[in-house]
Amino acid sequence: MEISRLPISASQRGKLISGGYTSLSSLSSVSSFALASDLKISESEAVEILKVASRGSRLGWSDGTNSVISGAQNAWDMLHEEESLTRITTSCADLDNILGGGINCKEVTEIGGVPGIGKTQLGIQLAVNVQIPREFGGLGGKAIYIDTEGSFMVERALQIAEACVEDMSEYSRFLRNDVQACQVKIQPKDILENIFYFRICSYTEQIALINYLEKFISEHKDVKLVMVDSITFHFRQDFDDMALRTRVLGGISLKLMKLAKEFSLAVVLLNQVTTKYTEGSFQLTLALGDSWSHSCTNRVILYWNGDERYAYIDKSPSLRSASAPYSVTNRGIRNSDPSYKRIKMM
Amino acid sequence: MANKLICEMGLPKSIGNIFAARNIITAKDALSLTEFELMELLDVGLSDVKSALAHISEIVSPPYQTALLLMEQHIQNEQLGGHLPTRLKGLDAALCGGIPFGVLTEVVGPAGIGKTQFCLKLSLLASLPAHYGGLDGRVIYIDVESKFSSRRMIEIGARSFPEIFHMKGMAQEMAGRILVLRPTSLSGFTESLQQIKVSLLQNQVKLLVIDSMVALVSGEQEQGAHRQHPLGWHISFIKSLAEFSRIPVVVTNQVRSQNRDESCPYSFQAQDNGKTIGDSTRYDSHLVAALGIHWAHAVTIRLVLESKSGQRFIKVAKSPISPPLAFPFNITSSGISLLTDDGTKLIGPEINTICCQGHNDIINFDGDRLH
């Protein structure tokens, strides 16, 4: 029954069905006055129902002129769009390589790992790197940092911001030896000013904030990164009803994907780990369950390999599975120390 | 914020009444349901549900601050730049000043290594007046295992700050600022926490020490994806307490031996067998921190105390602002003292491991020489 697909209230739907209007075509030829008298509802209500019904039926019609189905985009245009989007660098060349250049905008990337592996470090690094101006190959955008655990430390963000500005100055001095250098106008304080920090204390606030983000971002159009650190914390306790948790998480992931596509920004979610019993042994896996693992576009796992930190692309529609080493230094995330590698080979 | 009442949110009357009629009173009730569920429950159209939810979400969302504003607030409003110095130079340098305010710091180690000594010293430091480098405030010490010894604390005070403690009445005043709670059950602990939250700001409490929570959790924790942590509520409560009052919170943790199943790899790691660390660490008798991985994620700073070949070390195992350093230390009559202020940098997951090899005396009295 097509009427059941319409987003109208249950009682209105019930009245339509009992009045004999079971398909959309039956509604297309009736006037609002006739509908109102038939169902014994007010005329304004009848007008509303007809408006919703006509919107519903238009989706199935061919537009004729431009597209076969309205709202669709052909793959060639998408390719051009993807190539023109700048990616957010992670400041580690190996990591950027396996990510295809960096964290992609318009996609939701999930990054997870054991405590102490560097998730928050990577998060702060990305929040700083998204602000690299366009002249230096960055996006020149602002960042939203949603902190659910209280792990964001401003002192560390300042350290990373200062290191980033120093690197940019060195880069510009290296490239442009002449006097007319492209001066780095951005200062560490400006970088800190462009990070919008939200502190969330419960899952209700988390859901509310993600709902509110759409309005916030439309008022701050230059936000190019939404970082959630971490998405798991409030969902690991307080939830007796696991089915509800799955539904709520599903709703959140859909909204985040919508945000990413609509505003062309990158959404990065940091996740924790848990152990799962599969195939006769315990394995580490990212938290929040199997249903959640389908929700993100890309999934990166950070882990210890011997004495080094590695990142592994666990799931991605366009990147191949690969791992790359990285290190956490006092300047932020950087390439793993090559001299260390040399020592290991000996 | 989550328990904000919907009737106070200024929704249009008609929809506000419908929410109340269907028993959706707080924001938490409304936001836990998806849009379609709400539509069915309230019997209104999708657009009405969407606008109502958008309105509720906007009100319940916390306000934002720029990171710059955060930093300026820390510098201006907080004593000592937002850190409690531990008076261990190397450790303070590594932690950018000391134990940070507003976050959880965990001190973990095997029995008898010096965790309680560390906490006693910190309590003392927090109660010192400001011109001696303290926080000039009260300290709440939750002592679950009855390890608090006021005599030892006064001894530490007298040895470390003789000029203060020999002044008349100072010892009494300092000791008077340290309030010791001894809950005997989990429910008693819960109640104490809630009481603390209420009285925190009015009573100038500047440090909260919990030593330790593990004893309240009875029995071993089984592995399982859906098992909720027994201290889950307490962990998030303590965290929010730390943040909203911007005080340092120090929690000690015990160790337990590692189950064979716990050094488990990820599914993609299981494929390269024999190459990676997995096998070698599996059979070492390593100790791991109690309270599980959820707790490990929840703490911001983790200080591991261990002993290797008879020498004790304090390691900064997890910290967003410090490199992974290990400092050798001894326990003397004036508390913990580092043998050197230059820590050794530990690479790799070794910083997280806890060894317990041969430390005998709890207190070396020949440490007097180290003054």
Side-chain angles (χ1 to χ4, degrees):
Chain A
M1 288 204 236
E2 293 162 13
I3 298 284
S4 55
R5 282 195 283 127
L6 290 182
I8 51 180
S9 70
S11 55
Q12 285 175 342
R13 209 181 306 146
K15 285 190 188 143
L16 278 174
I17 295 177
S18 58
Y21 296 94
T22 49
S23 66
L24 287 176
S25 47
S26 55
L27 279 178
S28 59
S29 48
V30 71
S31 75
S32 56
F33 181 70
L35 189 63
S37 55
D38 235 355
L39 300 181
K40 304 208 179 30
I41 52 179
S42 68
E43 175 134 20
S44 50
E45 245 186 274
V47 167
E48 273 297 317
I49 295 181
L50 286 178
K51 216 192 293 177
V52 172
S54 64
R55 216 183 304 142
S57 59
R58 212 184 301 134
L59 286 174
W61 281 47
S62 63
D63 223 50
T65 46
N66 291 338
S67 44
V68 174
I69 301 178
S70 68
Q73 202 184 8
N74 67 44
W76 184 252
D77 292 336
M78 281 179 76
L79 178 65
H80 275 278
E81 231 180 62
E82 265 177 40
E83 286 179 348
S84 64
L85 279 179
T86 332
R87 290 163 180 257
I88 307 178
T89 171
T90 57
S91 291
C92 167
D94 295 326
L95 201 48
D96 280 345
N97 276 341
I98 60 167
L99 285 171
I103 301 283
N104 209 355
C105 286
K106 284 199 160 199
E107 282 180 1
V108 177
T109 308
E110 182 185 0
I111 302 180
V114 292
I117 193 88
K119 303 187 292 295
T120 304
Q121 301 296 309
L122 189 53
I124 301 180
Q125 183 73 62
L126 288 172
V128 167
N129 286 357
V130 73
Q131 303 180 36
I132 295 179
R134 285 184 198 274
E135 305 89 71
F136 292 91
L139 276 89
K142 301 192 179 170
I144 290 182
Y145 197 98
I146 300 178
D147 189 1
T148 61
E149 303 179 334
S151 39
F152 181 80
M153 304 212 79
V154 203
E155 298 92 343
R156 181 62 171 154
L158 184 64
Q159 267 181 353
I160 294 185
E162 286 171 346
C164 185
V165 168
E166 275 169 22
D167 285 348
M168 282 198 284
S169 323
E170 207 179 295
Y171 179 72
S172 77
R173 232 177 298 132
F174 175 68
L175 271 196
R176 299 148 207 270
N177 291 326
D178 50 354
V179 181
Q180 183 233 351
C182 177
Q183 277 255 305
V184 182
K185 289 185 215 78
I186 193 162
Q187 290 301 306
K189 285 212 159 151
D190 301 326
I191 294 185
L192 285 188
E193 204 176 11
N194 290 337
I195 301 179
F196 296 114
Y197 176 79
F198 289 88
R199 174 70 171 103
I200 303 272
C201 301
S202 70
Y203 77 86
T204 316
E205 286 186 13
Q206 198 169 335
I207 301 172
L209 181 59
I210 293 183
N211 288 344
Y212 173 60
L213 271 184
E214 196 176 337
K215 181 155 181 236
F216 184 84
I217 298 181
S218 44
E219 291 165 5
H220 296 87
K221 280 252 167 12
D222 36 7
V223 168
K224 288 287 169 209
L225 172 70
V226 174
M227 166 76 54
V228 184
D229 178 11
S230 62
I231 192 109
T232 332
F233 186 68
H234 293 294
F235 287 95
R236 270 184 120 164
Q237 64 249 29
D238 292 352
F239 261 98
D240 306 312
D241 183 1
M242 283 297 159
L244 174 66
R245 187 180 93 161
T246 313
R247 287 203 300 278
V248 168
L249 284 173
I252 290 183
S253 76
L254 278 179
K255 288 201 192 82
L256 288 172
M257 278 198 265
K258 184 171 168 231
L259 270 181
K261 292 233 163 2
E262 196 178 322
F263 295 105
S264 274
L265 41 85
V267 176
V268 179
L269 309 175
L270 300 180
N271 200 354
Q272 298 175 354
V273 295
T274 180
T275 48
K276 183 168 79 160
Y277 189 76
T278 51
E279 298 165 13
S281 67
F282 285 102
Q283 281 181 348
L284 274 182
T285 181
L286 296 194
L288 293 181
D290 293 319
S291 325
W292 171 257
S293 59
H294 293 293
S295 312
C296 298
T297 318
N298 301 316
R299 196 167 229 215
V300 178
I301 298 187
L302 306 177
Y303 64 102
W304 284 107
N305 188 358
D307 279 345
E308 283 194 289
R309 295 177 154 90
Y310 268 71
Y312 174 74
I313 308 270
D314 188 43
K315 168 188 158 186
S316 166
S318 55
L319 303 164
R320 57 195 299 222
S321 290
S323 32
Y326 68 97
S327 69
V328 181
T329 66
N330 60 344
R331 297 170 73 80
I333 303 273
R334 293 289 185 271
N335 275 342
S336 173
D337 191 4
S339 61
Y340 180 66
K341 281 199 201 129
R342 242 181 288 137
I343 292 171
K344 245 181 114 170
M345 283 196 285
M346 278 190 252
Chain B
M1 280 283 201
N3 291 329
K4 231 174 163 135
L5 297 175
I6 294 195
C7 49
E8 293 170 1
M9 285 191 196
L11 279 176
K13 266 280 186 188
S14 51
I15 202 145
N17 291 338
I18 299 181
F19 271 105
R22 293 280 183 258
N23 220 19
I24 300 188
I25 318 261
T26 62
K28 183 171 172 177
D29 302 327
L31 291 171
S32 305
L33 299 171
T34 63
E35 283 170 359
F36 282 102
E37 284 171 352
L38 271 177
M39 238 172 71
E40 288 292 306
L41 189 61
L42 303 174
D43 199 15
V44 290
L46 186 64
S47 52
D48 290 328
V49 166
K50 277 191 165 165
S51 63
L53 276 183
H55 187 95
I56 298 177
S57 302
E58 189 172 345
I59 297 190
V60 175
S61 305
Y64 75 90
Q65 286 176 305
T66 59
L68 186 63
L69 205 64
L70 269 184
M71 191 173 76
E72 286 170 355
Q73 273 181 352
H74 287 191
I75 296 180
Q76 282 170 9
N77 299 350
E78 289 180 359
Q79 303 161 290
L80 307 174
H83 290 263
L84 168 62
T86 59
R87 302 294 177 98
L88 302 169
K89 260 212 249 107
L91 188 62
D92 283 344
L95 291 176
C96 296
I99 308 282
F101 289 7
V103 290
L104 282 189
T105 304
E106 179 191 14
V107 179
V108 59
I113 196 105
K115 307 188 290 292
T116 306
Q117 304 295 311
F118 188 67
C119 293
L120 288 177
K121 184 92 184 265
L122 279 182
S123 315
L124 206 58
L125 288 169
S127 64
L128 285 180
H131 45 272
Y132 288 109
L135 296 178
D136 201 21
R138 292 209 166 87
V139 175
I140 295 188
Y141 195 107
I142 301 187
D143 180 25
V144 178
E145 297 167 350
S146 303
K147 290 208 181 114
F148 185 86
S149 156
S150 36
R151 193 191 312 173
R152 170 64 177 146
M153 195 183 67
I154 304 228
E155 182 190 2
I156 294 180
R159 295 296 190 132
S160 324
F161 310 104
E163 56 304 344
I164 310 175
F165 272 72
H166 288 305
M167 283 203 285
K168 215 169 162 224
M170 280 305 266
Q172 186 183 3
E173 192 182 330
M174 294 300 116
R177 288 184 181 173
I178 302 180
L179 310 164
V180 181
L181 280 169
R182 294 211 156 120
T184 45
S185 66
L186 192 58
S187 49
F189 180 58
T190 314
E191 225 180 275
S192 318
L193 281 181
Q194 282 165 331
Q195 254 189 334
I196 289 173
K197 182 161 192 174
V198 169
S199 64
L200 213 51
L201 290 173
Q202 305 154 327
N203 291 330
Q204 293 261 329
V205 177
K206 300 287 177 157
L207 171 66
L208 174 63
V209 180
I210 303 182
D211 180 13
S212 70
M213 285 209 290
V214 187
L216 296 167
V217 180
S218 50
E220 267 303 311
Q221 298 166 12
E222 343 90 53
Q223 309 265 18
H226 295 300
R227 178 195 49 80
Q228 305 259 331
H229 198 285
L231 286 175
W233 177 83
H234 303 82
I235 295 175
S236 34
F237 187 80
I238 296 174
K239 272 182 87 106
S240 63
L241 197 70
E243 285 207 20
F244 121 94
S245 55
R246 292 300 303 176
I247 58 168
V249 176
V250 178
V251 183
T252 58
N253 195 3
Q254 297 170 354
V255 295
R256 57 181 176 86
S257 49
Q258 192 175 41
N259 288 335
R260 199 177 59 87
D261 298 321
E262 273 178 342
S263 56
C264 39
Y266 287 101
S267 49
F268 58 87
Q269 278 180 300
Q271 284 140 23
D272 4 288
N273 251 332
K275 274 190 242 166
T276 53
I277 29 102
D279 291 328
S280 56
T281 54
R282 213 173 256 243
Y283 301 108
D284 278 343
S285 60
H286 269 154
L287 303 166
V288 286
L291 290 179
I293 204 163
H294 176 59
W295 170 254
H297 278 292
V299 297
T300 308
I301 307 238
R302 176 173 255 193
L303 298 173
V304 173
L305 275 68
E306 65 168 9
S307 85
K308 254 187 160 147
S309 348
Q311 174 60 57
R312 298 172 197 232
F313 286 91
I314 179 167
K315 306 195 287 199
V316 182
K318 177 183 177 193
S319 161
I321 41 178
S322 335
L325 293 173
F327 301 91
F329 74 92
N330 267 340
I331 303 190
T332 63
S333 51
S334 58
I336 289 193
S337 55
L338 297 181
L339 293 179
T340 159
D341 285 323
D342 305 309
T344 34
K345 203 159 187 180
L346 292 179
I347 309 178
E350 197 191 333
I351 190 83
N352 283 316
T353 56
I354 309 176
C355 294
C356 182
Q357 298 163 355
H359 65 276
N360 294 321
D361 306 316
I362 290 185
I363 297 179
N364 326 350
F365 280 101
D366 56 306
D368 278 336
R369 273 182 269 130
L370 290 170
H371 274 285

